[in-house]
Amino acid sequence: MPGFDYKFLEKPKRRFQCPLCSKAMREPVQVSTCGHRFCDTCLQEFLSEGVFKCPEDQLPLDYAKIYPDPELEQQILALAIRCIHSEEGCRWNGPMKQLQGHFSTCAFNVIPCPNRCAIKLTRRDLPDHLQHDCPKRKVKCEFCGSEFTGEAYESTLGFGYPKFISHEEIKKRNYVRDNAIFLKASIEIPQKILG
């Protein structure tokens, strides 16, 4: 993966930028023979093309002379950035290494519904979704006291009752048992059809 493409509060110094992707280096490595540094992935891609020369000075390269640079990596991860959701309204900024931790509270971060309803939405929209829209939310019937999922309630209780029978009547007739509805229906068949 090439370098970091975040919104930095200050443009990263040239020594933090990968010469191959021009971004702040991700997992920087150093070529010990010449001292040049690159993103590990960028250098690997460059070398995979069969050119075993340093991209900066064209000196011969040896895989055994390429080492991770953890000190430079820590300096890069300490650079101040804005949240990736800053254009949506998030005002957080801080060291790059704290971004993942920020995501656990960022109101603009997209997360899956905790009820596992397959919907992904921003953390700030989650409360409304859980209360009103989630098909797997728990809904208690105000008439019979039974608990249903939102999906079951809307399809059978909340909106699914036939217009000719009220919820009170369904409860009174004891048609609600074990979160299932049992309806009796009578159909009038015109005499012309029977005769």
Side-chain angles (χ1 to χ4, degrees):
M1 190 181 292
F4 295 107
D5 197 17
Y6 294 130
K7 294 173 184 148
F8 292 89
L9 297 185
E10 293 180 14
K11 185 177 178 180
K13 295 178 180 169
R14 191 170 189 278
R15 67 186 181 101
F16 295 142
Q17 295 176 4
C18 173
L20 294 169
C21 70
S22 302
K23 298 176 182 173
M25 284 181 257
R26 186 187 304 262
E27 299 175 356
V29 292
Q30 181 177 20
V31 179
S32 64
T33 52
C34 61
H36 291 115
R37 295 173 173 94
F38 308 91
C39 297
D40 183 39
T41 305
C42 291
L43 186 58
Q44 295 301 329
E45 284 178 17
F46 178 82
L47 296 175
S48 71
E49 295 172 9
V51 181
F52 295 100
K53 292 182 179 180
C54 174
E56 282 287 273
D57 57 21
Q58 304 303 309
L59 292 175
L61 259 180
D62 179 0
Y63 270 110
K65 306 269 182 178
I66 300 170
Y67 299 98
D69 192 337
E71 185 180 313
L72 181 64
E73 183 173 28
Q74 288 308 309
Q75 292 172 7
I76 292 169
L77 292 175
L79 296 174
I81 61 169
R82 288 183 173 82
C83 178
I84 62 169
H85 302 294
S86 62
E87 290 181 11
E88 297 150 56
C90 183
R91 298 190 184 282
W92 180 89
N93 59 56
M96 191 184 328
K97 62 184 162 198
Q98 293 178 2
L99 182 62
Q100 290 304 315
H102 164 67
F103 284 156
S104 65
T105 59
C106 179
F108 299 90
N109 201 36
V110 175
I111 57 173
C113 174
N115 290 340
R116 298 182 183 165
C117 74
I119 291 176
K120 292 185 178 186
L121 62 167
T122 62
R123 184 173 275 107
R124 71 183 185 154
D125 293 334
L126 184 62
D128 191 54
H129 168 75
L130 291 174
Q131 186 174 4
H132 302 292
D133 302 324
C134 181
K136 299 201 180 218
R137 72 191 185 280
K138 296 294 180 197
V139 178
K140 192 169 188 169
C141 174
E142 63 182 287
F143 300 106
C144 67
S146 296
E147 197 170 88
F148 301 88
T149 64
E151 190 173 48
Y153 184 79
E154 289 168 4
S155 67
T156 59
L157 295 176
F159 307 113
Y161 275 141
K163 299 273 187 225
F164 59 84
I165 190 167
S166 69
H167 194 130
E168 292 91 343
E169 187 64 24
I170 286 177
K171 183 181 173 193
K172 187 166 72 175
R173 292 183 189 182
N174 202 23
Y175 291 160
V176 178
R177 289 191 196 109
D178 301 324
N179 290 349
I181 297 177
F182 305 95
L183 292 178
K184 283 194 249 178
S186 60
I187 302 171
E188 288 186 28
I189 301 173
Q191 288 299 323
K192 284 195 301 192
I193 295 175
L194 291 175

